[in-house]
Amino acid sequence: MLSEFIAEQRTSKKKVPADIYERWDTRIVIHGWMNQGEAGVLSYFQAGYANNIAAPKCIAFARCAEEMGYPEMARGWWKKAYELQGNILAPADAIKTTPTGSRNSTLAPAQKQQPIIRATDKSIEDLSARLQPGHIVTMQPVDAPDGTSRLTYVNSDRWLGMPKRDGERCVVIAMPNKVWYQSRSLKFRNAPNEIIDQTLREAADVFGMFILDDEEVWYDAAGGEHRTGPQAQLVNDQLGRPQIMPRPCLCIFKALYTTAQGDLLDAYEIERIKAREKIGQWLVEHAPDHFELVPVARTTDEKTALCEKQVLEEREGEVWIRVDSKYVGGKQKADKSTIIRTKYHVPFTAVITDLTPSTNASYEFGAIVISRLPEMKPVGSIGTGFDRETMHKIAIAHKKSPGTVVVRCHTQRWTERDQVHHGVLDELVG
């Protein structure tokens, strides 16, 4: 029973770990979630902070909340710990979703903990081996071949264009009674939130089982795209709007399977895109904040407008898919790939402040640590864009005059903490 579980755990003499106190201050207090009672725990999960959390950490949060004088929130943590140890809460003990404190909340229903499904578990009868949950190898775009302009794809009627979304790949296998969320690495993810999970199950009840290839994106209060809830929450904090919850959205690229059309991996890309339309439109109509049909540009004018919009909104770039492409998992060589990405870069000038050691004894260093000019803002490190000859020149110049060597670089974008994201060295200035 829950009461016996709590009583047993309270007898533990273990101290609350320091990192729990730190997260209490920087994640819970800053958002006022301790004033929401049990619903504050759901807010913590909804913000994306609890991915892969286990019972011991929930117990530590419960004891921390009790120490801080918030018994109602502590009870929510006890309940979560109880569930994560494989127990089932009685209906009367379900976590309360309505805030009980004084703080107002726009809390959406929080995600439920999904059972861990192993790739070796029993298969779904109607699916082939390559479409089983935990076995779907996603098709990955590669950078355009050297010397190939994005105009090659814009001007060709053999290629379709889509805006590149800055999230994490998520394949959804939806059935009326269950939904699997599989990452690119074949691991399983939690549902982004209960609204998404429930809507997918309802759609499967209407259309039958289906599999969608998506990007899971989290939006901040200003509409910026992020890979995780905590990254979006950090921006909300920086915007002075910590009470606004990050908004998860599944951006739908294509369908890999539908009950009506079956396995679509060997079909042409244009057929997979058509197959997503009816299901995707239904999802968008029923939960418009949490589903998007990623726009497809077909004509030269549409593809030109796509590129202009991506630049105007400072997005990452575009993805180009050949209309007659089959769905081939993994990455192919650029000159043979039928799915290509083109990116926009942010150029900047920086000073090398340090060289990190390399795990390869034959290399003089691993990466360059840089500070952006003119403000001398530390922006992270770069480990690509230089050959052995340039590496040697950098090592000599830095040793001779550390902290003064100037380089020109570019980054795909700046992260939420104003650091380089996939930064590349372009030129050693000296």
Side-chain angles (χ1 to χ4, degrees):
M1 292 179 59
L2 176 64
S3 58
E4 294 174 353
F5 171 80
I6 296 174
E8 179 183 349
Q9 296 299 327
R10 279 180 177 151
T11 62
S12 171
K13 301 297 182 182
K14 291 182 180 180
K15 292 183 178 180
V16 175
D19 66 310
I20 295 296
Y21 289 122
E22 186 269 337
R23 291 173 187 180
W24 175 270
D25 290 334
T26 60
R27 297 179 178 182
I28 294 176
V29 174
I30 194 173
H31 301 117
W33 292 336
M34 68 287 185
N35 293 319
Q36 295 180 350
E38 294 180 17
V41 178
L42 300 184
S43 293
Y44 190 91
F45 273 71
Q46 176 68 17
Y49 286 129
N51 288 340
N52 302 316
I53 197 170
K57 188 160 286 186
C58 290
I59 291 169
F61 271 120
R63 294 174 61 223
C64 178
E66 288 180 341
E67 285 184 19
M68 298 297 180
Y70 294 93
E72 291 183 353
M73 185 186 207
R75 187 165 179 81
W77 283 114
W78 287 124
K79 291 179 179 180
K80 271 294 178 186
Y82 185 73
E83 285 185 313
L84 289 173
Q85 284 203 345
N87 302 300
I88 299 175
L89 286 170
D93 288 328
I95 296 178
K96 299 174 183 176
T97 60
T98 303
T100 56
S102 59
R103 188 185 183 90
N104 291 329
S105 173
T106 56
L107 179 68
Q111 64 182 27
K112 291 181 178 177
Q113 187 72 16
Q114 295 292 310
I116 298 174
I117 309 297
R118 305 298 179 191
T120 54
D121 283 356
K122 186 178 179 180
S123 300
I124 300 174
E125 284 187 13
D126 294 338
L127 294 179
S128 62
R130 62 183 181 173
L131 286 173
Q132 292 294 328
H135 290 267
I136 301 172
V137 181
T138 55
M139 192 172 184
Q140 297 297 318
V142 296
D143 292 338
D146 292 340
T148 303
S149 165
R150 60 173 33 87
L151 289 176
T152 299
Y153 310 106
V154 169
N155 294 327
S156 172
D157 58 8
R158 296 185 66 196
W159 293 85
L160 303 170
M162 284 186 172
K164 193 173 186 301
R165 291 288 182 248
D166 187 18
E168 293 188 345
R169 200 66 167 272
C170 181
V171 176
V172 166
I173 303 98
M175 300 177 70
N177 61 344
K178 179 172 179 57
V179 181
W180 287 265
Y181 303 84
Q182 182 205 293
S183 69
R184 187 176 70 181
S185 64
L186 307 184
K187 295 180 180 178
F188 292 98
R189 311 162 64 92
N190 286 336
N193 69 5
E194 178 63 20
I195 295 175
I196 288 175
D197 198 62
Q198 179 65 30
T199 308
L200 285 167
R201 283 185 275 117
E202 291 174 357
D205 196 40
V206 174
F207 298 101
M209 179 174 59
F210 58 84
I211 301 176
L212 300 176
D213 190 358
D214 317 277
E215 190 92 347
E216 180 183 315
V217 178
W218 291 76
Y219 289 97
D220 61 44
E225 297 175 358
H226 304 274
R227 295 179 300 284
T228 68
Q231 290 173 340
Q233 187 66 64
L234 174 63
V235 172
N236 286 350
D237 297 346
Q238 294 169 344
L239 292 171
R241 304 176 72 181
Q243 76 282 2
I244 302 297
M245 302 296 294
R247 174 172 61 88
C249 181
L250 286 184
C251 302
I252 304 167
F253 297 130
K254 64 201 72 177
L256 305 183
Y257 175 95
T258 69
T259 296
Q261 293 158 289
D263 186 335
L264 291 159
L265 298 189
D266 292 329
Y268 286 162
E269 179 68 15
I270 193 69
E271 296 303 318
R272 285 187 291 274
I273 290 175
K274 288 180 180 177
R276 73 173 187 165
E277 296 296 324
K278 188 175 291 186
I279 297 171
Q281 288 172 1
W282 191 96
L283 292 168
V284 171
E285 288 172 3
H286 287 77
D289 288 338
H290 299 293
F291 292 95
E292 177 205 15
L293 276 172
V294 179
V296 180
R298 293 173 170 82
T299 68
T300 296
D301 287 345
E302 289 174 348
K303 287 184 275 189
T304 299
L306 164 65
C307 295
E308 291 174 349
K309 183 177 181 182
Q310 292 296 93
V311 172
L312 181 64
E313 296 181 354
E314 298 182 349
R315 304 294 185 180
E316 275 197 272
E318 305 85 22
V319 174
W320 309 98
I321 314 101
R322 219 169 65 188
V323 294
D324 61 349
S325 171
K326 294 184 177 182
Y327 196 89
V328 180
K331 291 185 177 182
Q332 310 297 315
K333 290 185 177 180
D335 58 346
K336 296 181 179 180
S337 179
T338 57
I339 180 168
I340 296 292
R341 62 191 178 199
T342 49
K343 303 174 184 176
Y344 298 103
H345 298 146
V346 181
F348 66 98
T349 304
V351 167
I352 298 176
T353 58
D354 197 7
L355 302 177
T356 67
S358 173
T359 56
N360 188 329
S362 65
Y363 289 171
E364 295 176 88
F365 59 87
I368 58 174
V369 181
I370 55 174
S371 290
R372 186 176 59 205
L373 292 173
E375 68 271 37
M376 282 298 290
K377 159 79 175 176
V379 291
S381 61
I382 289 176
T384 188
F386 43 82
D387 54 19
R388 295 290 287 272
E389 181 181 353
T390 305
M391 178 182 283
H392 184 61
K393 290 179 180 178
I394 290 172
I396 292 175
H398 181 72
K399 183 177 181 179
K400 181 179 179 180
S401 184
T404 65
V405 180
V406 177
V407 290
R408 292 193 180 97
C409 313
H410 70 262
T411 179
Q412 283 188 21
R413 61 174 178 79
W414 300 108
T415 71
E416 296 79 10
R417 298 185 184 276
D418 201 25
Q419 301 290 288
V420 291
H421 179 63
H422 298 316
V424 177
L425 174 71
D426 293 321
E427 181 184 5
L428 172 62
V429 177

